[in-house]
Amino acid sequence: MSLPARLREGLRRHPLWLAMAAAGVPLAVLLGFQYRWLVELDRNSAVAWQASLDNYLAAVSEQVELAYRSRGERLLNLPPTVFEAGRRDEAARHFQAREMAGARRLFLVSFLDGAGEVWFYDPGSGSAEARPGTPEARAVAVAVAPWQALAAAGGRVERPALAVDERDPEQRVLLNPILDDRSGLVGVAGMILDEEDFRARQLGAVIDDALPRYFGEDARQYLVVTVRDGAGRTVLATADRSADLAYPAERAFSFVFTDWSIALGCHSATTPAQWARFSFFVHLGLSGLLAALVTGGVALALRTAAREVRLSRMKSDFVSNVSHELRTPLASIRVFAELLRLGRADRPEQAREYGRYIETESRRLTGLIDNLLDFARIESERKEYRFESADLLAVVAETLGSFEVRLRQQGFRLSCQTPERPLPPVRLDPAAFAQALANLLDNAVKYSGEGREIGVEVRREGDRALVAVRDRGIGIPPEEQAKIFERFHRAGSALVHEVRGSGLGLAIVRHVMEAHGGRVTVASRPGRGSTFTLELPLAAASADPAAAPARPPLAARPEVSQA
Ligand code: ADP
């Protein structure tokens, strides 16, 4: 058979595997996709979170730069004419007319008179004054020197721009080179930056403005902005819990205060990145749970379906097996009855023999029908036992007697061993027990194959009476031995299927024995024969097993332990 054909055949035989695969494969694919998607999402959210931190810091730095550029433009854009000799007062008026915020001091240096003296604006008197020898004057002189040299060399400045000199962190200088209309350098106007204003007003305003814009109104609950100066000292923090923070993002200011840095700190377990991670695991867990539930549900449904399929198959086998079993004794009865009717029994001895056959076969028929009726009663929980104090040996002997003809007819040798000392009377339902024993004998006959030897032994073991039925027949594989007591179950071997049976006999035996407070066990080796043993409690003989609670139907009972 080709591989696809074999595959098709396999699937036809095991449709439940197909159903399992049909449900399981898409589920596994979906889970795979979801896992990949969650991993991707987790990674992207971490990247996005880092990017938003960096963007925020860049925005703060940019706003600081913008603020100082616009202040520089506003304060330091002096007309070149004020740098001419004797016009310093005009410069003072220019400064006076403007807000000095951010500047600790304003100054100008004219390169037109050659001396290049620094004139500081005094907001008190509103006039310009020289402050030679002060640290401010020195810092300005150092910052201005390159420009002065350029002016002395008659150099031109094509694109004038604000310049910053922060070599002395105490005197941070912002300069604006002033050009005449031929791009000649006439002087510089400048300011010395006010650190206190930067720290207390500028930074605070910019940070507070950008924080909710980037991270929402509750940003302060999980984010702390910290600014450190050039020496690493914290000069500003939006919360005082900076010690236990992680700082995933930090950058230096870009224009002024360039040795200072600004950093964003996160409180652990509350950042969006951590929320993303947490939600990753929650989603993964939920998906896993869902998959487990779906798989469990599918497996349960498939198991139930499989059991139903098996049961319905067993039931249909049962119907055909039972019909056949009923037909066999009926056919025998008809043949012998016809022989009698046609007067073929010449001698009275022969007529009696035919009569015995008819009687034995009708007993067998009755036994079969009893089994069916008992099964129906057990299933509907209507089976009743009539317990009485009985002689076990007598019940066994009577049952063996009813088998005698059949055994002889089929060439069986029957041996029977009984205990030396008589057994005490046992409390039992003689009809039910006889039926159980008959079922075991019937099986011994059916499954004996060529080994036509059946042994029955009655013995006492402690407080129990045992009735063992041994055959030398086909035996039962170990894996089947527990199952054969289930209703409808018949061992799968070909040898068994040559023999007709309903699969009810042992299930009834088990029910009967349990109702008696006893049990049935099996010991068997394939090809060597089987021994079924009925165990009855002797001690229970005095008690009334009828008073025991009704036994549940066959399917609902636990396994009988085996010998
Ligand atoms: P059945 O009507 O099929 O005999 P039972 O309930 O009596 O139903 O037995 C269940 C199965 O147990 C049988 O189909 C057979 O496979 C196995 N079995 C029972 N007794 C014997 C035995 N003495 N030897 C071998 N197999 C047995």
Side-chain angles (χ1 to χ4, degrees), residues 222-235:
Y222 59 91
L223 285 176
V224 176
V225 185
T226 307
V227 178
R228 295 194 188 88
D229 67 12
R233 287 182 299 254
T234 301
V235 292

PDB file of all heavy atoms in Angstrom, residues 222-235:
ATOM      1  N   TYR A 222       5.873  58.060  38.466  1.00  0.00           N
ATOM      2  CA  TYR A 222       6.886  57.047  38.203  1.00  0.00           C
ATOM      3  C   TYR A 222       8.185  57.605  37.606  1.00  0.00           C
ATOM      4  O   TYR A 222       9.138  56.887  37.413  1.00  0.00           O
ATOM      5  CB  TYR A 222       6.323  55.930  37.307  1.00  0.00           C
ATOM      6  CG  TYR A 222       5.820  56.380  35.956  1.00  0.00           C
ATOM      7  CD1 TYR A 222       6.668  56.392  34.859  1.00  0.00           C
ATOM      8  CD2 TYR A 222       4.503  56.774  35.790  1.00  0.00           C
ATOM      9  CE1 TYR A 222       6.207  56.786  33.623  1.00  0.00           C
ATOM     10  CE2 TYR A 222       4.031  57.176  34.557  1.00  0.00           C
ATOM     11  CZ  TYR A 222       4.881  57.174  33.473  1.00  0.00           C
ATOM     12  OH  TYR A 222       4.411  57.572  32.257  1.00  0.00           O
ATOM     13  N   LEU A 223       8.194  58.929  37.331  1.00  0.00           N
ATOM     14  CA  LEU A 223       9.412  59.504  36.742  1.00  0.00           C
ATOM     15  C   LEU A 223       9.962  60.626  37.609  1.00  0.00           C
ATOM     16  O   LEU A 223       9.188  61.411  38.175  1.00  0.00           O
ATOM     17  CB  LEU A 223       9.098  60.074  35.355  1.00  0.00           C
ATOM     18  CG  LEU A 223       8.915  59.056  34.236  1.00  0.00           C
ATOM     19  CD1 LEU A 223       8.508  59.768  32.969  1.00  0.00           C
ATOM     20  CD2 LEU A 223      10.203  58.283  34.008  1.00  0.00           C
ATOM     21  N   VAL A 224      11.279  60.700  37.685  1.00  0.00           N
ATOM     22  CA  VAL A 224      11.927  61.790  38.416  1.00  0.00           C
ATOM     23  C   VAL A 224      12.985  62.385  37.487  1.00  0.00           C
ATOM     24  O   VAL A 224      13.775  61.658  36.891  1.00  0.00           O
ATOM     25  CB  VAL A 224      12.612  61.259  39.692  1.00  0.00           C
ATOM     26  CG1 VAL A 224      13.354  62.382  40.396  1.00  0.00           C
ATOM     27  CG2 VAL A 224      11.594  60.646  40.620  1.00  0.00           C
ATOM     28  N   VAL A 225      12.936  63.714  37.350  1.00  0.00           N
ATOM     29  CA  VAL A 225      13.946  64.382  36.519  1.00  0.00           C
ATOM     30  C   VAL A 225      15.005  64.950  37.460  1.00  0.00           C
ATOM     31  O   VAL A 225      14.674  65.600  38.454  1.00  0.00           O
ATOM     32  CB  VAL A 225      13.316  65.516  35.693  1.00  0.00           C
ATOM     33  CG1 VAL A 225      14.349  66.111  34.738  1.00  0.00           C
ATOM     34  CG2 VAL A 225      12.115  65.016  34.930  1.00  0.00           C
ATOM     35  N   THR A 226      16.249  64.669  37.132  1.00  0.00           N
ATOM     36  CA  THR A 226      17.353  65.134  37.981  1.00  0.00           C
ATOM     37  C   THR A 226      18.358  65.882  37.121  1.00  0.00           C
ATOM     38  O   THR A 226      18.689  65.425  36.031  1.00  0.00           O
ATOM     39  CB  THR A 226      18.063  63.914  38.620  1.00  0.00           C
ATOM     40  OG1 THR A 226      17.081  63.138  39.264  1.00  0.00           O
ATOM     41  CG2 THR A 226      19.098  64.350  39.623  1.00  0.00           C
ATOM     42  N   VAL A 227      18.813  67.034  37.626  1.00  0.00           N
ATOM     43  CA  VAL A 227      19.852  67.787  36.903  1.00  0.00           C
ATOM     44  C   VAL A 227      21.100  67.816  37.787  1.00  0.00           C
ATOM     45  O   VAL A 227      21.006  68.089  38.991  1.00  0.00           O
ATOM     46  CB  VAL A 227      19.369  69.222  36.599  1.00  0.00           C
ATOM     47  CG1 VAL A 227      20.478  70.015  35.897  1.00  0.00           C
ATOM     48  CG2 VAL A 227      18.117  69.177  35.723  1.00  0.00           C
ATOM     49  N   ARG A 228      22.230  67.484  37.175  1.00  0.00           N
ATOM     50  CA  ARG A 228      23.497  67.502  37.930  1.00  0.00           C
ATOM     51  C   ARG A 228      24.435  68.533  37.310  1.00  0.00           C
ATOM     52  O   ARG A 228      24.435  68.720  36.080  1.00  0.00           O
ATOM     53  CB  ARG A 228      24.165  66.129  37.898  1.00  0.00           C
ATOM     54  CG  ARG A 228      23.355  65.065  38.603  1.00  0.00           C
ATOM     55  CD  ARG A 228      24.211  63.833  38.849  1.00  0.00           C
ATOM     56  NE  ARG A 228      23.396  62.748  39.359  1.00  0.00           N
ATOM     57  CZ  ARG A 228      22.747  61.882  38.588  1.00  0.00           C
ATOM     58  NH1 ARG A 228      22.848  61.961  37.288  1.00  0.00           N
ATOM     59  NH2 ARG A 228      22.015  60.943  39.129  1.00  0.00           N
ATOM     60  N   ASP A 229      25.228  69.154  38.176  1.00  0.00           N
ATOM     61  CA  ASP A 229      26.165  70.157  37.650  1.00  0.00           C
ATOM     62  C   ASP A 229      27.456  69.476  37.186  1.00  0.00           C
ATOM     63  O   ASP A 229      27.567  68.241  37.236  1.00  0.00           O
ATOM     64  CB  ASP A 229      26.429  71.256  38.692  1.00  0.00           C
ATOM     65  CG  ASP A 229      27.178  70.728  39.910  1.00  0.00           C
ATOM     66  OD1 ASP A 229      27.675  69.577  39.833  1.00  0.00           O
ATOM     67  OD2 ASP A 229      27.247  71.437  40.925  1.00  0.00           O
ATOM     68  N   GLY A 230      28.417  70.288  36.751  1.00  0.00           N
ATOM     69  CA  GLY A 230      29.650  69.738  36.177  1.00  0.00           C
ATOM     70  C   GLY A 230      30.408  68.851  37.159  1.00  0.00           C
ATOM     71  O   GLY A 230      31.139  67.944  36.751  1.00  0.00           O
ATOM     72  N   ALA A 231      30.209  69.095  38.474  1.00  0.00           N
ATOM     73  CA  ALA A 231      30.916  68.300  39.479  1.00  0.00           C
ATOM     74  C   ALA A 231      30.098  67.075  39.885  1.00  0.00           C
ATOM     75  O   ALA A 231      30.476  66.350  40.801  1.00  0.00           O
ATOM     76  CB  ALA A 231      31.194  69.151  40.700  1.00  0.00           C
ATOM     77  N   GLY A 232      28.964  66.865  39.252  1.00  0.00           N
ATOM     78  CA  GLY A 232      28.133  65.691  39.545  1.00  0.00           C
ATOM     79  C   GLY A 232      27.186  65.900  40.711  1.00  0.00           C
ATOM     80  O   GLY A 232      26.502  64.965  41.146  1.00  0.00           O
ATOM     81  N   ARG A 233      27.091  67.117  41.233  1.00  0.00           N
ATOM     82  CA  ARG A 233      26.164  67.377  42.351  1.00  0.00           C
ATOM     83  C   ARG A 233      24.756  67.560  41.801  1.00  0.00           C
ATOM     84  O   ARG A 233      24.582  68.176  40.739  1.00  0.00           O
ATOM     85  CB  ARG A 233      26.566  68.658  43.094  1.00  0.00           C
ATOM     86  CG  ARG A 233      27.816  68.506  43.951  1.00  0.00           C
ATOM     87  CD  ARG A 233      28.083  69.821  44.657  1.00  0.00           C
ATOM     88  NE  ARG A 233      28.309  70.882  43.674  1.00  0.00           N
ATOM     89  CZ  ARG A 233      29.499  71.409  43.396  1.00  0.00           C
ATOM     90  NH1 ARG A 233      30.567  70.974  44.034  1.00  0.00           N
ATOM     91  NH2 ARG A 233      29.616  72.362  42.503  1.00  0.00           N
ATOM     92  N   THR A 234      23.793  67.031  42.515  1.00  0.00           N
ATOM     93  CA  THR A 234      22.406  67.201  42.072  1.00  0.00           C
ATOM     94  C   THR A 234      21.978  68.633  42.386  1.00  0.00           C
ATOM     95  O   THR A 234      22.024  69.061  43.539  1.00  0.00           O
ATOM     96  CB  THR A 234      21.478  66.211  42.806  1.00  0.00           C
ATOM     97  OG1 THR A 234      21.937  64.899  42.509  1.00  0.00           O
ATOM     98  CG2 THR A 234      20.041  66.356  42.359  1.00  0.00           C
ATOM     99  N   VAL A 235      21.621  69.370  41.345  1.00  0.00           N
ATOM    100  CA  VAL A 235      21.210  70.757  41.568  1.00  0.00           C
ATOM    101  C   VAL A 235      19.701  70.914  41.503  1.00  0.00           C
ATOM    102  O   VAL A 235      19.158  71.899  41.960  1.00  0.00           O
ATOM    103  CB  VAL A 235      21.871  71.714  40.540  1.00  0.00           C
ATOM    104  CG1 VAL A 235      23.355  71.815  40.775  1.00  0.00           C
ATOM    105  CG2 VAL A 235      21.585  71.267  39.129  1.00  0.00           C
TER     106      VAL A 235
END
